[in-house]
Amino acid sequence: MIRMDEQQYARTAFLATRSDKVLFALSAAAAVFYFFLLLLYFPIGNRTLFMLLVIGQSFHLWQLLTFIHTVWDTEHEPVAGYVDLSVDVFITVTGEPRSIIEETVRAALAMEYPHTRVYILNDGYVAGKDNWRESVEVARELGAECITRTKKGGAKAGNINNALRQTNAPLIAIFDADHVPHPDFLRKCVRYFADPAMAFVQTPQFYKNAQDSYVSKSAWEQQELFFGPICKGKNRLNAATMCGTNMLVRRAALEEVGGMAEESIAEDFVTGLFLHERSWKSYYLPEVLAEGLAPHDLGSYYKQQFRWARGALDIIFRYNPLFRRGLSWTQKMQYLASASFYFTGLIVAVYASLPLLFFYFGLVPLEIAGMLLASVLLPYLFLTLYTIQLSSNFSYTFNALAFSMAAFNVHIAAIFAAALRRTSAFLVTPKEREGGSAFGYVVPQMLYVALAAAGLIIALEREGLSASVVNNAAWAVMYVVIFATFIRAALPQSSARRLPSLNLSPQIKRVADQARR
Amino acid sequence: MALYQSREAGHGGMFDALILIGLLSFVTALSLLFFADQSLRLDEAQSLWQTSRSPGAILSTVAADVHVPLHHLLLHFWRLLFGEGVEVARALSLILYLFNIPALYLLGRLAYSRSVGIFAATLFAISPFMNWYANEIRMYTLFALLATLNQYFFMRVFKLKDTLAWTPYVFTAILGVFTHYFFFLNLAAQGAFYALYRHLFPNGSRTHLIGTAALIFALFTPWVLYTLLLGEAVYQQPALSSPTTVDFFNTLAEFIFGFQGAQLNTVIVSLWPIALIVAFLALRKNVSLSNESAYFLLILLFSLGTAFVFSVLVRPVFLSRYLIFTIPALYLLLSALLSVYPRPLSRIAKEVTVALMLIALAASALRGASVEEEYRAASAYLAQHAQAHDVIILSPPFTLYPVEYYYRGLAPITTLPQWDRYVAGPIPSFSAETLEEDVAALTESYERVWIVLSFDQGYEEDLRLYFEENYHRIERLDFPSDITILLYRLRYDTQNARAAAM
């Protein structure tokens, strides 16, 4: 059992970011040096593979440089002041268990702010959920209001826009059904709206059940880098990411951009872009003021990641910031950097396939002495790792890294869906453990392990224990170790056997008991 | 949290002491069983010859060489006290190594924790590289021991603010620079660390460091002047080629896995991406690079990097044994890193590391006796077969040291090019133009010549071809490692030759 002080520590540690400009400069220099050596100096092997390697390295360079630019200075806070504006609190519900909704509604009603009305935005009916009436009952019992949509469309964004039309407070707080606000949420967020140009204030999407399972823990560790240095760094550039929950939005700003963007699966991200485009300001308040639930099994994680990836990639394929007027260059870079993160999967797949291509066909992208490559690549990679570690106040973990890399199949699926503009349903991250085996989600990773093992035998047969075989085997082992972390997440014991056990109300505990039964 | 997790698990000092005793016993047994009986190697023979002279002559000989005199003087008196045998001389290196094991434990315990100290000491005790030099009559175990002690006292000042540690720090620093020139790299790395972390040092540290530097300067300058006065060191530099990145990684591989065969070594260094996995797995929440780890990292990378860059840009001096003083830092970093892992993984990683190093040590111990420079066997063969009317020519000349040590035969020994060790100046260089004349002068009164070739200095083939073209080869023998003995008949006009011909 995690002690309470540890839980408190978990709420704050990831927000205590650090900055070391000498390290950042060294890291950037090492990356650029490696890139130019790769491009201009290293002898080329197979041209196609070399091009893929260059593309991959360009992507990594882009990621690192934009990361460093983002986290260069993470301490920026806009002017705050006294504001007396009423707030409508929206709790978006799509058939979540009653107890979870109750918990959130109670917390919303308990917020220390005088002028609030709490609304349950009930999409259970249009989503065909059997329990849609429960939201109505909860609202009646607890003294909130319930807006039940009867006309389908626009998913979560449509739900919010529907409520926008029926409410009138100048500020709107939005919470997902499972995100329980702290009593001081509004007190701490509203004051930033003293600036009439402030469109939204976003707070971290903290997972209170992070320690309940291997999957939820890894999912949260992956999030910490984003909600720590990256989000904090974006403040300096007025490019805070709208995350769709745990946020306070100015109605006028939302109305100016036509409400939440219904045409995108990542309505929040896109809406943030629209707001910035119209010169509205944003702020990421680095304090945990609401607590939600992480995906507790691989299926939930997969769906969440797919939705985020698909939505983020929409930014590139449909709303490319480069071609949108109104955004500053730094904002354009920030949106591109955030959205392009989900290309990681494609690059990982390319890189991971290099040892396999050597094993099976003897193809290599570079014909270079391994030690020369190591002497340039290792310093660059170690400096990059340390840059990430330091900027995240040493909250970045192997699991976070492994999940980011190993979920390549999710990212690739999202890339194709976004590029082909396939319609993707808005899948709410399940709040309960899904039944059935999760191994279906890790077939590509398991296949990789098998292909690597078989390939190694073929390569050994072909050229014995040569330096190239050993070196490629070591690379393959690295990917196998990383993928194994993800494969492990498919094991039944890696999923939450219970719902959150920390700091939870009796209602949620009851749900957990029900789920366990 | 620092780059380690303290997992003392209730073990007491007695437990650590027992492990250390076990490690010392293991090292001693290994030395007695496998290393002690090895043939004298070239450098060892040179050390024996140098230290067999008077202290004054030792100083002048060492000053003319590329080294500093402390170990030679120590070995000189050691041999006076305990005897002249190879085993006695090697025992000094072994004893210094044995002292280093608990010293490293203390350094690890001080910098990190007892468990890190014990594991680092374990790696040190099973290190194929260290065990190799623990059984060689050279200064390297003294060098490593002084570096460990010096770092221990430096760490005491830094971590415990123990200003009393300055005195032994200065003492070990002075001894260190008189043990090996590369000790200055250790001191320079400490200076760099101080520059970066000076706010964490106790008051007065800068004065102490400047004082140490001044004292070392004052004591070392006479030696430098003496060396320059003799003007011979420049001739004695090892013939090294400019290092490449392969040498850099080979050095790191040797530090962990010792001297392995070319193919196995290639396999080892080709596994470098594994270093990424090792680093990735250490990515844990709230685990940062501690000041102590930064210190050891600086000792390791600054020293290796400086030696490498200097070797590329100025003069090749990049040799793994010259950098032996960085091994304690490497093992401490490795131990601290593996201690960061989750407990089951940490245990597995440590066990795998120990197992791999033990395998490498076993390979090194078993291979060592048969593959290294077998001057003993070569000399024994010469002693048995060379006659009074034969002459033995060694090339290059410095291979005289080991052959001379073992050889007890009838035929006289000379070198080509001809060299008199007792005459100041460089070893004469090889000249193809005067070869015929030189050979004639060396062989004019003999019937047969034994050519002993090893340590090719670039003219071995010229020499061999000359004899092949001008004389009749009777015999050829090869000894490990790359020692070739060739026997040629010089003339047929002697009584013996005529008798042999009949």
Side-chain angles (χ1 to χ4, degrees):
Chain A
M1 177 68 79
I2 304 284
R3 294 196 303 273
M4 288 309 292
D5 56 343
E6 288 181 9
Q7 182 72 351
Q8 184 55 34
Y9 182 76
R11 287 191 189 98
T12 54
F14 72 101
L15 295 164
T17 53
R18 292 203 219 174
S19 174
D20 183 336
K21 293 181 173 58
V22 175
L23 172 70
F24 293 169
L26 275 175
S27 182
V32 170
F33 181 61
Y34 171 69
F35 182 70
F36 278 102
L37 285 183
L38 173 70
L39 209 59
L40 305 171
Y41 179 72
F42 292 163
I44 300 169
N46 180 278
R47 287 207 163 270
T48 309
L49 295 187
F50 175 75
M51 284 312 297
L52 288 173
L53 194 64
V54 169
I55 291 168
Q57 194 49 41
S58 308
F59 176 72
H60 282 158
L61 187 63
W62 154 258
Q63 275 196 313
L64 178 66
L65 295 182
T66 51
F67 178 78
I68 288 174
H69 178 237
T70 307
V71 303
W72 189 260
D73 177 7
T74 52
E75 301 307 321
H76 175 85
E77 188 182 358
V79 179
Y82 173 74
V83 182
D84 186 20
L85 296 170
S86 58
V87 179
D88 286 335
V89 179
F90 291 175
I91 298 166
T92 56
V93 173
T94 315
E96 284 83 354
R98 176 187 176 122
S99 301
I100 288 181
I101 303 166
E102 266 187 24
E103 175 83 0
T104 306
V105 173
R106 280 181 200 280
L109 288 165
M111 283 194 288
E112 302 156 349
Y113 193 74
H115 320 297
T116 56
R117 296 178 79 174
V118 176
Y119 296 89
I120 298 175
L121 310 190
N122 183 13
D123 244 6
Y125 176 77
V126 294
K129 301 288 182 182
D130 293 338
N131 64 346
W132 70 271
R133 287 189 183 83
E134 285 179 1
S135 295
V136 182
E137 290 166 16
V138 169
R140 192 173 60 237
E141 285 171 17
L142 299 181
E145 295 179 47
C146 184
I147 300 174
T148 304
R149 270 214 298 173
T150 52
K151 202 185 277 182
K152 209 173 179 176
K156 181 180 169 184
N159 193 12
I160 293 170
N161 290 340
N162 178 55
L164 271 178
R165 289 189 286 273
Q166 299 178 47
T167 55
N168 56 16
L171 298 180
I172 298 146
I174 299 175
F175 300 100
D176 285 351
D178 60 312
H179 282 258
V180 180
H182 289 188
D184 53 355
F185 179 91
L186 289 177
R187 189 161 49 79
K188 287 188 169 168
C189 291
V190 166
R191 58 204 177 106
Y192 294 102
F193 287 86
D195 181 349
M198 180 62 71
F200 68 93
V201 172
Q202 178 67 56
T203 68
Q205 200 169 332
F206 180 74
Y207 294 150
K208 59 190 167 191
N209 64 333
Q211 301 302 322
D212 274 14
S213 77
Y214 176 71
V215 173
S216 57
K217 179 171 176 283
S218 304
W220 170 241
E221 287 174 356
Q222 198 184 355
Q223 286 296 94
E224 282 182 307
L225 183 67
F226 178 72
F227 284 112
I230 293 177
C231 280
K232 282 180 73 180
K234 284 174 184 286
N235 279 338
R236 188 181 87 253
L237 309 162
N238 188 34
T241 303
M242 184 185 273
C243 299
T245 182
N246 310 347
M247 65 178 190
L248 191 60
V249 195
R250 190 185 292 274
R251 177 184 293 271
L254 259 189
E255 286 176 347
E256 188 180 321
V257 296
M260 298 295 282
E262 294 186 19
E263 64 273 25
S264 173
I265 194 172
E267 78 298 333
D268 39 20
F269 198 26
V270 174
T271 304
L273 172 78
F274 291 167
L275 289 169
H276 285 129
E277 197 176 33
R278 292 182 181 249
S279 302
W280 285 96
K281 289 183 183 173
S282 61
Y283 178 54
Y284 172 72
L285 175 58
E287 185 177 347
V288 173
L289 294 172
E291 301 184 24
L293 298 177
H296 25 323
D297 57 44
L298 197 61
S300 309
Y301 175 81
Y302 191 100
K303 284 169 188 162
Q304 183 200 56
Q305 289 295 307
F306 179 81
R307 182 161 55 85
W308 289 357
R310 174 73 173 81
L313 290 165
D314 263 355
I315 290 278
I316 291 176
F317 290 110
R318 293 178 66 183
Y319 310 100
N320 197 310
L322 285 178
F323 308 109
R324 297 191 77 85
R325 292 177 183 172
L327 292 177
S328 68
W329 268 104
T330 50
Q331 286 173 322
K332 287 179 180 182
M333 291 301 111
Q334 285 300 312
Y335 272 102
L336 271 182
S338 295
S340 62
F341 166 77
Y342 293 98
F343 281 117
T344 301
L346 197 57
I347 304 302
V348 168
V350 168
Y351 277 19
S353 66
L354 292 178
L356 301 188
L357 289 168
F358 171 78
F359 289 159
Y360 287 97
F361 309 110
L363 299 175
V364 288
L366 298 171
E367 286 177 351
I368 181 178
M371 297 304 101
L372 180 59
L373 182 65
S375 64
V376 190
L377 186 60
L378 287 179
Y380 148 55
L381 290 177
F382 286 141
L383 279 169
T384 301
L385 270 186
Y386 198 62
T387 295
I388 294 171
Q389 272 287 75
L390 182 108
S391 59
S392 68
N393 192 32
F394 301 96
S395 62
Y396 197 64
T397 64
F398 173 68
N399 276 1
L401 175 85
F403 266 57
S404 297
M405 290 176 71
F408 68 91
N409 50 326
V410 187
H411 296 174
I412 291 172
I415 289 168
F416 279 108
L420 301 173
R421 302 205 176 185
R422 280 190 192 146
T423 309
S424 301
F426 184 98
L427 298 169
V428 176
T429 308
K431 306 299 182 289
E432 295 172 298
R433 187 184 168 198
E434 296 189 318
S437 169
F439 280 104
Y441 296 108
V442 293
V443 167
Q445 290 78 5
M446 291 196 293
L447 191 63
Y448 183 87
V449 176
L451 285 173
L456 180 58
I457 294 168
I458 291 169
L460 283 170
E461 189 70 27
R462 185 179 66 232
E463 54 188 87
L465 203 62
S466 69
S468 300
V469 171
V470 173
N471 190 249
N472 279 285
W475 281 115
V477 166
M478 191 189 83
Y479 286 107
V480 166
V481 169
I482 287 168
F483 294 167
T485 308
F486 203 59
I487 294 170
R488 180 186 162 194
L491 297 171
Q493 58 266 36
S494 296
S495 306
R497 280 160 290 181
R498 55 193 160 79
L499 283 175
S501 58
L502 295 168
N503 229 359
L504 300 176
S505 67
Q507 287 93 331
I508 291 186
K509 283 180 179 166
R510 263 206 308 279
V511 176
D513 291 340
Q514 285 168 5
R516 197 159 51 238
R517 280 199 291 272
Chain B
M1 188 189 295
L3 182 49
Y4 75 97
Q5 283 185 328
S6 184
R7 289 176 185 158
E8 306 305 333
H11 296 318
M14 183 60 80
F15 178 80
D16 293 357
L18 286 173
I19 290 182
L20 287 173
I21 290 168
L23 293 174
L24 297 178
S25 308
F26 171 79
V27 167
T28 309
L30 195 71
S31 174
L32 293 174
L33 291 174
F34 291 99
F35 290 110
D37 194 40
Q38 285 186 12
S39 169
L40 202 60
R41 295 185 284 277
L42 176 68
D43 287 349
E44 292 185 291
Q46 188 177 5
S47 291
L48 286 181
W49 179 79
Q50 288 172 332
T51 57
S52 64
R53 309 181 74 193
S54 68
I58 288 174
L59 285 179
S60 61
T61 310
V62 175
D65 197 355
V66 291
H67 291 296
V68 267
L70 181 64
H71 179 260
H72 291 78
L73 291 170
L74 189 63
L75 182 58
H76 173 79
F77 291 110
W78 175 268
R79 293 173 73 195
L80 281 181
L81 277 173
F82 299 106
E84 290 293 318
V86 174
E87 296 77 13
V88 172
R90 281 180 176 163
L92 175 63
S93 297
L94 179 66
I95 287 167
L96 293 168
Y97 174 48
L98 291 173
F99 277 123
N100 206 342
I101 293 169
L104 181 58
Y105 163 74
L106 290 175
L107 177 58
R109 194 178 73 171
L110 174 63
Y112 297 105
S113 65
R114 284 214 324 261
S115 57
V116 169
I118 276 292
F119 188 66
T122 305
L123 296 184
F124 200 71
I126 62 169
S127 163
F129 191 86
M130 286 310 306
N131 274 282
W132 182 259
Y133 285 106
N135 294 279
E136 186 167 274
I137 309 165
R138 301 284 283 159
M139 71 290 290
Y140 297 110
T141 52
L142 175 63
F143 184 19
L145 173 64
L146 287 170
T148 306
L149 292 174
N150 181 259
Q151 288 175 14
Y152 173 76
F153 295 119
F154 187 82
M155 189 56 69
R156 280 193 76 87
V157 171
F158 172 69
K159 196 163 183 178
L160 305 180
K161 318 298 177 205
D162 177 8
T163 50
L164 290 176
W166 281 117
T167 306
Y169 169 77
V170 174
F171 185 63
T172 50
I174 291 168
L175 294 181
V177 297
F178 279 100
T179 301
H180 202 284
Y181 285 111
F182 269 44
F183 201 90
F184 280 106
L185 281 178
N186 180 58
L187 299 178
Q190 288 170 340
F193 181 75
Y194 172 77
L196 291 171
Y197 292 85
R198 56 187 174 278
H199 57 288
L200 297 175
F201 277 80
N203 291 335
S205 294
R206 190 173 65 172
T207 311
H208 277 106
L209 283 173
I210 291 171
T212 306
L215 187 59
I216 289 173
F217 180 79
L219 292 171
F220 204 72
T221 302
W223 172 257
V224 174
L225 293 175
Y226 180 53
T227 306
L228 292 173
L229 194 68
L230 289 178
E232 292 179 38
V234 71
Y235 304 121
Q236 304 293 331
Q237 287 159 11
L240 300 174
S241 52
S242 191
T244 64
T245 50
V246 175
D247 298 306
F248 189 91
F249 285 95
N250 274 347
T251 296
L252 289 172
E254 283 171 5
F255 283 172
I256 297 175
F257 299 108
F259 302 105
Q260 302 299 334
Q263 185 168 4
L264 184 54
N265 200 53
T266 304
V267 168
I268 290 169
V269 293
S270 298
L271 284 168
W272 62 264
I274 298 293
L276 283 174
I277 305 173
V278 172
F280 284 168
L281 290 170
L283 289 174
R284 297 198 70 202
K285 220 173 246 302
N286 310 316
V287 173
S288 62
L289 187 73
S290 68
N291 296 333
E292 293 77 14
S293 293
Y295 170 71
F296 292 120
L297 206 56
L298 200 60
I299 291 281
L300 182 69
L301 295 183
F302 177 87
S303 306
L304 263 67
T306 306
F308 185 82
V309 171
F310 183 87
S311 297
V312 171
L313 298 180
V314 184
R315 177 182 298 166
V317 290
F318 194 84
L319 273 178
S320 57
R321 59 178 182 269
Y322 290 1
L323 294 156
I324 197 169
F325 69 98
T326 62
I327 289 184
L330 174 66
Y331 288 172
L332 284 168
L333 282 170
L334 189 60
S335 305
L337 190 76
L338 298 185
S339 300
V340 165
Y341 289 2
R343 191 182 286 269
L345 185 62
S346 174
R347 216 180 86 183
I348 293 167
K350 286 178 177 177
E351 286 169 358
V352 168
T353 307
V354 168
L356 290 175
M357 284 181 70
L358 279 174
I359 292 168
L361 177 62
S364 176
L366 295 172
R367 210 170 56 91
S370 62
V371 174
E372 289 308 318
E373 306 149 37
E374 262 297 348
Y375 285 106
R376 180 171 54 187
S379 302
Y381 185 85
L382 289 172
Q384 195 179 350
H385 295 91
Q387 305 299 314
H389 53 266
D390 296 345
V391 63
I392 298 169
I393 295 178
L394 309 176
S395 186
F398 54 74
T399 54
L400 177 65
Y401 293 118
V403 175
E404 180 188 64
Y405 186 86
Y406 284 119
Y407 177 70
R408 299 287 181 270
L410 298 171
I413 297 178
T414 187
T415 67
L416 191 67
Q418 286 191 73
W419 178 45
D420 183 352
R421 281 172 293 172
Y422 299 95
V423 174
I427 296 175
S429 55
F430 174 81
S431 165
E433 286 75 34
T434 61
L435 183 58
E436 185 177 356
E437 195 180 314
D438 293 341
V439 171
L442 290 173
T443 61
E444 61 181 347
S445 58
Y446 299 102
E447 289 181 18
R448 301 188 305 176
V449 60
W450 298 80
I451 310 292
V452 183
L453 302 172
S454 58
F455 279 92
D456 184 11
Q457 299 295 295
Y459 51 83
E460 186 177 297
E461 190 59 9
D462 291 340
L463 204 60
R464 195 186 63 78
L465 282 175
Y466 176 80
F467 278 95
E468 287 291 315
E469 287 167 4
N470 293 283
Y471 300 102
H472 170 58
R473 176 155 57 81
I474 303 169
E475 194 174 347
R476 175 185 172 130
L477 284 119
D478 291 306
F479 291 85
S481 135
D482 295 331
I483 300 173
T484 305
I485 294 181
L486 301 162
L487 174 62
Y488 294 94
R489 179 166 296 284
L490 294 167
R491 56 180 54 86
Y492 290 90
D493 57 350
T494 63
Q495 195 175 358
N496 286 334
R498 279 194 296 275
M502 288 168 70

